[in-house]
């Protein structure tokens, strides 16, 4: 693989995943919820496909969990597949194309129910499409992330690539949680809105034009030195500090994903315009990350992690009191809560890269012959499973039983449970990032 020569090319390359990430937000936070009416009170005809249930709630909850778990499990074999793929067009380009087109197809078909009522056929149909979508999405993005080190000439390019990608993350979350609700409130059905953002997925074609691969993949030494899948998996699972981190992350991610996947229902029941409130969550993120980084360098990841959990929990708990606030003060109050949340939301994005990267570096220092990329795959499994529990089991239960108004309080409670668990993290994790430890 030839590295990118121009800084402008590095910046452009970092923007490649923006559109696909945006589609993933729409699927996970809007389209899955749009199949059930429960939980919506305003603009129900636009937040849902046909203003009525289209899936059987119990089975749909199970299928979402299965799809999310598969999304995590599939990281393991797909990462191995991508590294071993051989193609005359280049293995990275080929893998991206192999994932991209099935992903787009599944995304479009997800907008079309087979029946116009809640049937088992509809439910199985959407469950199948969800599996296809997450599998192809994972193949596309895991290949893209695998090229970061390959397209960089050195540490400076890696930093530039990572910083630009973080900005893109803020952009697509802002679009997803601010602009989408704005379109829905204007009278556009969520299916129309989903199609409006579909062209953004073409940003994933940027690597096809920028990647300069050895088309014959003739590096025999690299192939001979490649780690066996089983060896890499077992090495990672025996890393006790990392497993403790993953258990804490698992609980934290349930709260975060419940917030991200159910926030549109929450604002529907509260009567607030989601656009302005969610913009307050994401617009300040670049500035709030600066504070997080200072805390990280001074106290280490354990303290910084507890800081963002406390801040997020306080913001969520205060937002749960919105119904007790006078109507004329509801918007300023909600925006204030969102600004509090912004001091943690950006750090949540970055911390999931920090820990596996640090453990991978430790593995390299030990001169291990196992592949460090398995850290990211294992973490993906934990995140996928916890996301399935949040958006499949908990959110569907809340929607069907009228519990959406207490959602943010539950998010706060779950994150406080993760806060308590974080005190069990060993120094190998809690001291990551501390200046005097570097």
């Amino acid at each position: 693989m030839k590295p990118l020569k121009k800084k402008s090319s590095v910046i452009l390359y970092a923007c490649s995943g923006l559109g696909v990430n945006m589609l993933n937000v729409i699927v996970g936070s809007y389209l899955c919820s749009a199949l059930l009416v429960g939980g919506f009170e305003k603009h129900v005809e636009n937040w849902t496909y046909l203003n009525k249930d289209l899936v059987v709630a119990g089975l749909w909850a199970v299928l979402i969990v299965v799809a999310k778990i598969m999304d995590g499990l599939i990281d393991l074999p797909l990462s191995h597949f991508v590294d071993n793929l051989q193609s005359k067009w280049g293995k990275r380009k080929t893998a991206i194309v192999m994932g991209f087109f099935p992903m787009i197809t599944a995304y479009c078909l997800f907008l079309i129910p087979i029946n116009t009522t809640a049937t088992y056929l509809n439910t199985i149909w959407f469950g199948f499409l969800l599996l296809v979508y997450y599998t192809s999405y994972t193949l596309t993005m895991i290949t893209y992330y695998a090229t970061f080190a390959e397209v960089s000439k050195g540490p400076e390019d890696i930093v530039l690539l990572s910083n630009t990608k973080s900005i893109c993350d803020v952009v697509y979350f802002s679009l997803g949680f601010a602009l989408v609700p704005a379109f829905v409130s204007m009278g556009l059905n969520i299916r129309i809105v989903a199609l409006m953002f579909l062209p953004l997925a073409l940003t994933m074609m940027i690597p096809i034009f920028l990647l300069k691969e050895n088309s014959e993949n003739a590096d025999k030494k690299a192939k001979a030195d490649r780690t066996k899948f089983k060896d890499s998996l077992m090495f990672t699972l025996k890393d006790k500090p990392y497993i403790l981190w993953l258990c804490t992350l698992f609980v934290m991610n349930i709260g975060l994903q419940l917030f991200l996947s159910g926030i549109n229902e929450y604002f529907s029941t509260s009567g607030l315009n989601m656009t302005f409130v969610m913009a307050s969550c994401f617009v300040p993120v670049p500035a709030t990350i600066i504070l997080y980084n200072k805390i990280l360098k001074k106290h280490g990841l354990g303290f910084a992690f507890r800081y963002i959990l406390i801040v997020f929990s306080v913001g969520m708990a205060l937002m749960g009191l919105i119904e007790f606030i006078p109507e004329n003060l509801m918007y300023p109050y909600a925006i204030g809560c969102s600004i509090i949340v912004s001091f943690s939301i950006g750090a949540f994005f970055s911390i999931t890269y920090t820990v596996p990267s640090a453990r991978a570096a430790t593995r390299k220092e030990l001169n291990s012959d196992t592949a460090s990329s398995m850290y990211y795959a294992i973490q993906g499994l934990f995140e996928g499973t916890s996301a399935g529990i949040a958006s499949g089991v908990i959110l569907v239960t809340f929607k069907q039983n009228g519990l959406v108004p207490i959602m943010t309080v539950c998010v706060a409670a779950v994150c406080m449970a993760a806060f308590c668990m974080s005190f069990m993290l060993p120094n190998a994790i809690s001291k990551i990032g501390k200046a005097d430890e570097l």
Side-chain angles (χ1 to χ4, degrees):
M1 178 80 71
K2 297 180 180 179
L4 299 174
K5 297 180 179 180
K6 299 179 179 179
K7 298 295 183 184
S8 58
S9 297
V10 175
I11 293 173
L12 180 62
Y13 195 84
C15 299
S16 303
L18 191 153
V20 174
N21 287 145
M22 179 65 195
L23 298 192
N24 200 47
V25 168
I26 291 176
V27 170
S29 296
Y30 297 111
L31 297 186
C32 287
S33 290
L35 302 177
L36 290 168
V37 175
F40 294 106
E41 292 186 4
K42 290 190 175 182
H43 306 296
V44 182
E45 69 283 359
N46 294 325
W47 278 121
T48 59
Y49 282 16
L50 299 173
N51 201 13
K52 56 184 175 180
D53 289 351
L54 293 177
V55 292
V56 179
L59 178 58
W60 181 234
V62 172
L63 291 178
I64 289 179
V65 174
V66 171
K68 288 289 188 178
I69 293 175
M70 285 300 298
D71 183 32
L73 281 174
I74 206 70
D75 282 4
L76 308 179
L78 284 183
S79 61
H80 188 68
F81 167 77
V82 168
D83 286 337
N84 287 276
L85 179 64
Q86 294 187 21
S87 170
K88 64 180 181 179
W89 295 289
K91 64 180 180 180
R92 302 306 190 193
K93 292 181 182 179
T94 301
I96 288 174
V97 171
M98 288 175 65
F100 181 79
F101 287 102
M103 176 188 65
I104 296 302
T105 301
Y107 180 86
C108 293
L109 290 176
F110 201 86
L111 304 175
I112 307 172
I114 295 178
N115 297 319
T116 57
T117 56
T119 63
Y120 285 104
L121 181 61
N122 255 356
T123 311
I124 294 172
W125 165 249
F126 285 117
F128 167 74
L129 290 176
L130 207 56
L131 284 170
V132 174
Y133 172 81
Y134 280 132
T135 301
S136 50
Y137 169 83
T138 299
L139 177 57
T140 302
M141 296 308 293
I142 203 171
T143 306
Y144 169 59
Y145 291 133
T147 63
F148 277 22
E150 299 170 348
V151 300
S152 302
K153 290 184 293 184
E156 185 179 346
D157 278 1
I158 292 177
V159 171
L160 177 61
L161 188 62
S162 301
N163 288 340
T164 307
K165 180 64 174 68
S166 298
I167 294 173
C168 288
D169 288 347
V170 174
V171 169
Y172 79 74
F173 267 96
S174 298
L175 291 174
F177 293 106
L179 198 54
V180 170
F183 284 139
V184 171
S185 64
M186 291 166 57
L188 295 176
N189 187 269
I190 188 61
R191 289 195 284 177
I192 301 299
V193 177
L195 288 175
M196 289 170 60
F197 284 99
L198 182 58
L200 278 178
L202 293 175
T203 57
M204 203 64 243
M205 292 295 100
I206 293 174
I208 303 301
F209 295 99
L210 291 184
L211 289 178
K212 304 298 181 183
E213 296 187 82
N214 182 344
S215 61
E216 296 181 359
N217 295 306
D219 191 347
K220 295 181 180 180
K221 185 179 184 302
K223 184 177 180 180
D225 292 342
R226 189 169 292 132
T227 306
K228 291 182 179 180
F229 175 80
K230 181 180 178 181
D231 293 340
S232 181
L233 176 62
M234 293 309 299
F235 187 97
T236 308
L237 292 177
K238 290 178 181 178
D239 187 339
K240 292 183 180 180
Y242 192 59
I243 297 302
L244 286 173
W245 156 253
L246 291 177
C247 292
T248 307
L249 175 69
F250 182 89
V251 176
M252 179 275 286
N253 200 51
I254 290 177
L256 179 61
Q257 293 300 321
L258 181 59
F259 164 69
L260 294 176
S261 60
I263 199 65
N264 54 325
E265 284 97 329
Y266 178 77
F267 281 111
S268 177
T269 60
S270 67
L272 294 176
N273 187 312
M274 181 177 168
T275 300
F276 299 110
V277 179
M278 291 307 291
S280 303
C281 276
F282 294 104
V283 171
V285 163
T288 60
I289 286 182
I290 295 175
L291 175 61
Y292 163 76
N293 285 331
K294 289 183 177 180
I295 295 173
L296 179 67
K297 290 180 179 179
K298 184 175 182 179
H299 300 285
L301 185 134
F303 186 92
F305 186 46
R306 287 188 281 275
Y307 151 74
I308 62 176
L309 285 170
I310 283 287
V311 170
F312 190 70
S313 298
V314 169
M316 288 288 98
L318 290 175
M319 194 173 288
L321 302 176
I322 192 72
E323 61 180 291
F324 302 106
I325 304 300
E327 187 173 350
N328 62 322
L329 297 177
M330 287 180 71
Y331 269 112
Y333 180 84
I335 290 173
C337 293
S338 296
I339 292 174
I340 293 174
V341 169
S342 73
F343 280 84
S344 58
I345 200 74
F348 278 133
F349 297 157
S350 65
I351 202 167
T352 54
Y353 293 99
T354 303
V355 178
S357 297
R359 296 310 294 168
T362 301
R363 167 181 282 193
K364 186 176 181 180
E365 291 173 2
L366 295 173
N367 295 317
S368 170
D369 60 354
T370 52
S372 59
S373 60
M374 186 58 69
Y375 278 103
Y376 301 95
I378 295 293
Q379 182 167 284
L381 171 60
F382 275 73
E383 289 179 318
T385 305
S386 57
I389 292 173
S391 59
V393 178
I394 300 177
L395 182 58
V396 171
T397 300
F398 279 17
K399 285 164 65 73
Q400 295 302 107
N401 294 278
L403 299 175
V404 171
I406 67 169
M407 186 192 72
T408 58
V409 176
C410 291
V411 168
V414 171
C415 287
M416 286 308 299
F419 172 84
C420 295
M421 292 176 65
S422 70
F423 286 96
M424 296 186 295
L425 293 175
N427 286 339
I429 300 294
S430 61
K431 298 299 183 182
I432 290 174
K434 192 173 181 181
D436 58 9
E437 297 287 331
L438 297 177

